[in-house]
Amino acid sequence: MMKTNYTMQLSLLVSLIFILCSFNQITSVFAAEENQEHDHNLMTYIVHVKKSENVASFQSEDLHSWYHSFLPQNFPHKHRMVFSYRHVASGFAVKLTPEEAKSLQEKDGILLARPERTLSLHTTHSPTFLGLKHGQGLWNDDNLGKGVIIGVIDSGIFPSHPSFNDEGMPPPPAKWKGHCEFNGTKICNNKLIGARSLVKSTIQEPPFENIFHGTHTAAEAAGRFIKDASVFGNAKGVAAGMAPNAHLAIYKVCNDKIECPESAILAAMDIAIEDGVDVLSLSLGLGSLPFFEDPIAIGAFAATKNGVFVSCSAGNSGPEYSTLSNEAPWILTVGASTIDRKIVASAKLGNGEEYEGETLFQPKDFPQQLFPLVYAGSLGYGNQTQNQSLCLPGSLKNIDLSGKVVLCDIGEDVSTFVKGQEVLNANGVAVILVNSESDGFSTFATAHVLPAVEVSYAAGLTIKDYINSTYNPTATLLFKGTVIGDSLAPSVVSFSSRGPSQQSPGILKPDIIGPGVNILAAWPVSIDNKTPPFAITSGTSMSCPHLSGIAALIKSSHPDWSPAAIKSAIMTTANTLNLGGIPILDQRLSPADVFATGAGHVNPVKANDPGLVYDIQPEDYVPYLCGLGYTDQEIELIAQWVVNCSNVKSIPEAQLNYPSFSILLGSDSQYYTRTLTNVGLANSTYRVELEVPLALGMSVNPSEITFNEVNEKVSYSVDFIPKTKESRGNNTYAQGSLTWVSDKHAVRIPISVIFM
Ligand SMILES: *[C@@H]1O[C@H](CO)[C@@H](O)[C@H](O)[C@H]1NC(C)=O
Ligand SMILES: *[C@@H]1O[C@H](CO)[C@@H](O)[C@H](O)[C@H]1NC(C)=O
Ligand SMILES: *[C@@H]1O[C@H](CO)[C@@H](O)[C@H](O)[C@H]1NC(C)=O
Ligand SMILES: *[C@@H]1O[C@H](CO)[C@@H](O)[C@H](O)[C@H]1NC(C)=O
Ligand SMILES: *[C@@H]1O[C@H](CO)[C@@H](O)[C@H](O)[C@H]1NC(C)=O
Ligand SMILES: *[C@@H]1O[C@H](CO)[C@@H](O)[C@H](O)[C@H]1NC(C)=O
Ligand SMILES: *[C@@H]1O[C@H](CO)[C@@H](O)[C@H](O)[C@H]1NC(C)=O
């Protein structure tokens, strides 16, 4: 009885996983096109040209012919020109041989020609499936993002999903200039107002998605309310994105091989700006790059100049330090944290001890009896021990584990799903998957082909001790379903990338954390053909669109706020405590530092009414970029302005009017100013409260500020004064905060200090 039940669920899971994997075999559309060209030396180059005074007035045709004029006569433009850019760059993407690129680079008026790179999506764990209460981030506001357009740059969309219905939604605002490239009527609607594909192929294909990432991220940002989002009859609830009434514009930039070329990303940002989006959401990245070489930083600067808010994933390369993507200060960089819902199972040992963990696969009829327990790593088959401890494919071949519960270590390379398959092939009855040391206590609810539970590294050590200390170790698994109210939530998850920023250590990054673990949202297909199509995934790919949706909500209530003001509102109101009322923890269950949390966990309701904001105008970034030591030409690539740093009063990074401080402190004091803008009550008085970092003196002047008007600006100064080396102990960094407090508001910015 038990077996048939599994088999039904399992075959569904397996077929969907297979669908995901099999895309790797599909021939790239790019490859197909290159074959046609009969030249394997061709690569797509991003070419930046010196800006012409007249560009602003150019029609598209003028722009194209101006760009074409840089290329040799008889150049096969039609086949080789990939994209012309207007907003994000003065330049174009073109297919060239290395020789052609070299001679182009030497031409007058060419700033830079470099081969493009491919970005990757920021989802880590295999998508998994189960319906659950959403419950997170529903914000009962009248507007729910009304009138705001969110552009999602991702892998496309599955447009007929119920999350994108337009019941009761008004038409897009008059400024909207975008298109819908789906064939046929009634595909785009007042919810999904635009969809374009920037994936170049021989035939122009509509922006449907095949890898399921874009549908999920779009729904997280702005999915409609969907009742009874449940699968297998499990937990029921309402699913919704953060801004259910915002409009969505989709820009597909990733092909079916999950390759997202930077020429397409630049094109998508260029078109989205032209189309009139208000918010851009990008759950992808390239790692840390100088801003003038980072397509997202370049595109986001143009977006910011046009008043468009840009939210990006921080990356999934944690928990090590300095592992961020998308570090530019004009971007909101979003890390990932848990929500208070877990899908729980536990490993119960023969000695009565129980260790809680997570799994999505929750068989109702797993026998409550103890089975013999073995650690795959002590089966002892010579040179296979290492591979067996990880239950790698093939490592348990010819071994009979019938009737046994098997303990496997989780390594980096292979998904836990595949490890479970290996144990099932060896006839194991269940698997206990033990986190690697770096994953600590971060567990994930994922799909499995047999009864399974993922437990913490610490639990794994204890279970291994038990196995060693007992002649006949035994265990069973207990399945407990969905549990809401984890008081440790939010906690920073192991994979969430950490600061400090490599490109600009004087700006604290990430900026914020938001929900990114076991997130339920739209999925193109139903898992059992009966219940609505939803899936659970984890990644900073998931936390980024949450913040995009929240930015849309704020933009809807404050249409005149700049991108920097919206970012400030989100950061200065963030929560620093978890639901249990203690400082937010990380994957080790230690207090998370500011390089993991940034300002803290987003609090949408408070972010809508911050009292004060730290505003930044686009031109304020130029003295900052000069201060970073970039050349005039490098700044021109980013800003699209002719810049001469000798005539600009450059500033140190920490002097940018950013809603946080990241100080690299030697033996000298440092002095900075910040400017507050009053967006709360006209007459309000704030006084400063400091949490002074260890081994540091701080003074703030003035310590009390009275505002008499809305939008009034007042500046204050901060001194950071080092104390003796001895007073730091062995600490290499310290953290604190600076908060302006009134009767109604607390406007907090975090401070990190790295001792040099
Ligand atoms: C779109 O519609 C046009 C005209 O109806 C048709 O020729 C074309 O093949 C369609 N394209 C796709 C991708 O379905
Ligand atoms: C592992 O040991 C087996 C048997 O001794 C041998 O045939 C095989 O080549 C070894 N494999 C590796 C990778 O060393
Ligand atoms: C262990 O697994 C890896 C990856 O599958 C494989 O390359 C290696 O040969 C295996 N080691 C042994 C000893 O079989
Ligand atoms: C268990 O015992 C084996 C051999 O007796 C030893 O190699 C191993 O390190 C022990 N493991 C633990 C977790 O103590
Ligand atoms: C930048 O300004 C300095 C000082 O005014 C001037 O000497 C220099 O020629 C300018 N550089 C460029 C490239 O215009
Ligand atoms: C703010 O205070 C000024 C004088 O201190 C007063 O004239 C003004 O009416 C007040 N504004 C509001 C909105 O209360
Ligand atoms: C600092 O590190 C040294 C050497 O590791 C150690 O002996 C000392 O106790 C540490 N001091 C403090 C305050 O932790």
Side-chain angles (χ1 to χ4, degrees), residues 561-609:
W561 284 9
S562 70
I566 295 174
K567 176 198 263 186
S568 175
I570 289 171
M571 289 173 65
T572 61
T573 56
N575 294 338
T576 59
L577 303 181
N578 67 21
L579 294 179
I582 63 166
I584 291 172
L585 303 177
D586 64 14
Q587 75 288 344
R588 298 165 301 181
L589 299 186
S590 307
D593 62 37
V594 287
F595 302 122
T597 60
H601 190 263
V602 62
N603 182 331
V605 176
K606 281 193 178 167
N608 199 34
D609 178 23

Side-chain angles (χ1 to χ4, degrees), residues 127-130 216 231 518-523 525 532-537:
T128 45
F129 335 95
L130 187 79
H216 207 270
V231 179
N518 298 344
I519 303 301
L520 176 99
W523 201 245
V525 293
F534 286 88
I536 287 184
T537 57

Side-chain angles (χ1 to χ4, degrees), residues 33-51:
E33 194 175 359
E34 277 163 24
N35 288 340
Q36 200 186 31
E37 276 286 313
H38 298 298
D39 193 341
H40 292 282
N41 283 328
L42 284 180
M43 281 191 295
T44 300
Y45 282 74
I46 309 286
V47 181
H48 293 271
V49 304
K50 198 140 190 63
K51 204 167 167 100

Side-chain angles (χ1 to χ4, degrees), residues 29-88:
V29 287
F30 295 97
E33 194 175 359
E34 277 163 24
N35 288 340
Q36 200 186 31
E37 276 286 313
H38 298 298
D39 193 341
H40 292 282
N41 283 328
L42 284 180
M43 281 191 295
T44 300
Y45 282 74
I46 309 286
V47 181
H48 293 271
V49 304
K50 198 140 190 63
K51 204 167 167 100
S52 154
E53 305 263 306
N54 310 323
V55 158
S57 61
F58 278 0
Q59 300 294 313
S60 300
E61 301 79 52
D62 304 334
L63 197 63
H64 293 314
S65 38
W66 181 50
Y67 290 154
H68 286 174
S69 73
F70 289 95
L71 297 165
Q73 284 192 328
N74 304 326
F75 186 82
H77 294 290
K78 208 165 170 213
H79 300 293
R80 303 265 217 97
M81 198 66 159
V82 185
F83 292 110
S84 297
Y85 305 118
R86 177 188 288 274
H87 298 283
V88 297

Side-chain angles (χ1 to χ4, degrees), residues 139 141-152 157 162-173 175-176 189-194 217-225 240-250 276-281 545-557:
W139 182 14
D141 190 331
D142 289 339
N143 71 51
L144 299 166
K146 192 168 140 198
V148 177
I149 304 166
I150 303 177
V152 179
I157 194 143
S163 287
F164 310 124
N165 82 74
D166 71 345
E167 210 180 302
M169 280 194 63
K175 65 168 182 167
W176 172 245
N189 58 23
N190 286 337
K191 176 70 189 179
L192 186 63
I193 59 173
T217 53
E220 278 158 355
R224 307 298 311 272
F225 291 101
M242 296 297 105
N245 288 355
H247 305 283
L248 277 169
I250 304 300
V277 305
D278 299 295
V279 174
L280 274 175
S281 191
H546 279 81
L547 268 294
S548 310
I550 289 164
L553 293 171
I554 298 170
K555 179 86 182 172
S556 180
S557 7

Side-chain angles (χ1 to χ4, degrees), residues 182-201:
F182 284 117
N183 246 357
T185 51
K186 293 270 172 206
I187 293 186
C188 282
N189 58 23
N190 286 337
K191 176 70 189 179
L192 186 63
I193 59 173
R196 297 271 311 251
S197 176
L198 291 313
V199 175
K200 287 276 173 170
S201 81

